[in-house]
Amino acid sequence: MKIIRQIGIIFAVCWLGVLVEKILPFAFPAGIIGMILLFLCLLTGILKIEHIQEKADFLLENMAFFFVPAGVSIIDYTDVLKDAWIKIVVICIISTVATFLVTAWSVRLTVRWMERRKNNE
């Protein structure tokens, strides 16, 4: 019963994300909305981590499996990829570097914040 409840909570949050996406007057991915909703529920205490821990861990451990269909479908678009491979490589390099920089900046900011908080206690 615990597993069904955890799956139900995760699917309910995803479903709410889809509903919010349909209501919004602009395009925004339902998956991102769902993650924001889940984060807010955890932050406010509406949900506790114990409510979804086991199934969330399972999904994270098997995340690579969920990318298989997307990887296989690339085969259908080899003609498009042949024409745009330079653009794709440049975009991948730029986005990777940007992700590294933002992550490093975020970690630095978080460490500083934690040190200040620790010193104030």
Side-chain angles (χ1 to χ4, degrees):
M1 191 66 171
K2 180 180 175 184
I3 293 171
I4 293 172
R5 186 174 351 138
Q6 290 184 7
I7 291 172
I9 290 170
I10 291 173
F11 281 139
V13 171
C14 290
W15 181 70
L16 286 172
V18 171
L19 288 179
V20 171
E21 177 194 30
K22 292 184 186 297
I23 294 171
L24 289 176
F26 52 88
F28 200 80
I32 302 298
I33 295 169
M35 284 190 284
I36 292 170
L37 289 173
L38 182 60
F39 174 72
L40 292 174
C41 288
L42 290 169
L43 190 67
T44 59
I46 294 170
L47 286 176
K48 303 283 186 232
I49 193 71
E50 296 83 28
H51 294 145
I52 58 169
Q53 181 76 47
E54 198 173 322
K55 285 298 115 197
D57 287 343
F58 170 79
L59 291 171
L60 286 172
E61 288 170 3
N62 296 293
M63 188 181 295
F65 174 75
F66 298 110
F67 285 99
V68 170
V72 171
S73 67
I74 288 176
I75 294 170
D76 293 336
Y77 298 100
T78 53
D79 54 333
V80 175
L81 294 174
K82 285 179 185 175
D83 296 336
W85 73 272
I86 293 175
K87 294 176 186 175
I88 294 170
V89 169
V90 169
I91 289 170
C92 287
I93 291 170
I94 291 171
S95 63
T96 301
V97 170
T99 302
F100 286 162
L101 292 173
V102 169
T103 302
W105 178 78
S106 299
V107 169
R108 259 183 155 175
L109 188 66
T110 303
V111 168
R112 282 189 201 154
W113 178 73
M114 290 174 68
E115 286 175 354
R116 286 185 192 157
R117 194 170 175 201
K118 186 177 179 180
N119 290 337
N120 288 338
E121 290 179 357

